[in-house]
Amino acid sequence: MLIFLAWDSTGWDMALAEPWGNSTGFALRNNWWMSTVMHNGARNLGWLIFLALLIGVWKPWGAFKHLAKADRWGVLFSFAGALLSVSLIKAFSHTSCPWDLQTFGGTAPYVSHWNVWLDDGGGGHCFPAGHASTGFAFIAVYFGLRQAGLLAARKYLLMAVLAGFVLGLSQQMRGAHFMSHTLWTAWLCWTVGGISHHLYQTMQRLIISKS
């Protein structure tokens, strides 16, 4: 978290966005591969994987065969917590996308996402990076599998982090997000996913102790 807070003071967000956009906008914003495959296709794939996890609660597959049913529900609970944390903040955020900014041909001035009460006049709802959460939210699966001591836990973590950054970078190239949006999404999914997992485990132990 401290690293990401330091990132916000460097000005690197704009420096990393400028190679992909200029005063006329972002050339890759409507690129077929970026918009159809990397955005719409990846989002649909994420929902399919989530559906597979949901089915896995009743009919476990792969590494989930090593988890009790209650623990499989815990994985789903943690995943939902991570995803909802990003969606809720995004819904109330006044931060606009880079493609809405004056620097890149839009109408909104640049306003830090830390100025939570200041409306920049753009479209808003662009912080944190919702699309990157399609990958990062699966970090929550790591916590559920880790308690079973499975090597698969690290594999899920690696795949989730890699997918999150690839999707975040693709959206940055289109002008939809700054890098800090992606970094904060990663932190939220890790933190909320972990907290949700521990809350679920605590609740489960309390229920067992009372029964």
Side-chain angles (χ1 to χ4, degrees):
M1 183 177 182
L2 291 175
I3 293 174
F4 296 162
L5 284 170
W7 175 282
D8 290 337
S9 66
T10 63
W12 288 348
D13 269 347
M14 195 65 72
L16 290 173
E18 287 173 349
W20 308 105
N22 52 40
S23 58
T24 62
F26 288 82
L28 294 176
R29 178 174 180 176
N30 297 312
N31 176 271
W32 179 84
W33 175 264
M34 289 297 191
S35 62
T36 303
V37 179
M38 295 302 295
H39 186 262
N40 298 338
R43 180 182 56 197
N44 293 337
L45 178 60
W47 282 114
L48 285 175
I49 297 175
F50 171 68
L51 181 60
L53 291 179
L54 184 59
I55 294 172
V57 171
W58 290 278
K59 293 186 178 295
W61 50 271
F64 293 95
K65 291 181 179 179
H66 300 278
L67 295 178
K69 188 174 184 178
D71 292 330
R72 297 197 294 271
W73 274 115
V75 169
L76 219 59
F77 176 77
S78 301
F79 175 88
L83 201 60
L84 284 173
S85 68
V86 176
S87 297
L88 286 174
I89 296 174
K90 187 179 175 69
F92 290 100
S93 172
H94 292 298
T95 301
S96 294
C97 303
W99 59 39
D100 290 326
L101 303 184
Q102 295 170 353
T103 304
F104 301 110
T107 58
Y110 174 81
V111 175
S112 171
H113 51 260
W114 290 112
N115 293 325
V116 293
W117 305 115
L118 185 60
D119 192 332
D120 58 19
H125 310 299
C126 213
F127 175 84
H131 191 55
S133 69
T134 303
F136 287 134
F138 289 97
I139 287 175
V141 179
Y142 161 77
F143 293 102
L145 292 180
R146 185 183 61 175
Q147 72 183 43
L150 299 173
L151 179 61
R154 293 183 179 180
K155 292 181 179 179
Y156 268 91
L157 177 61
L158 179 61
M159 288 189 293
V161 171
L162 182 61
F165 276 111
V166 167
L167 295 177
L169 181 59
S170 70
Q171 285 296 85
Q172 180 177 321
M173 293 166 68
R174 295 181 65 223
H177 289 290
F178 285 121
M179 178 54 72
S180 64
H181 299 184
T182 298
L183 293 175
W184 281 110
T185 296
W187 182 84
L188 275 168
C189 289
W190 172 268
T191 303
V192 177
I195 291 173
S196 298
H197 168 75
H198 291 297
L199 281 176
Y200 181 85
Q201 292 299 312
T202 301
M203 290 167 56
Q204 192 177 2
R205 285 193 293 269
L206 286 174
I207 292 172
I208 293 173
S209 65
K210 291 181 179 180
S211 60

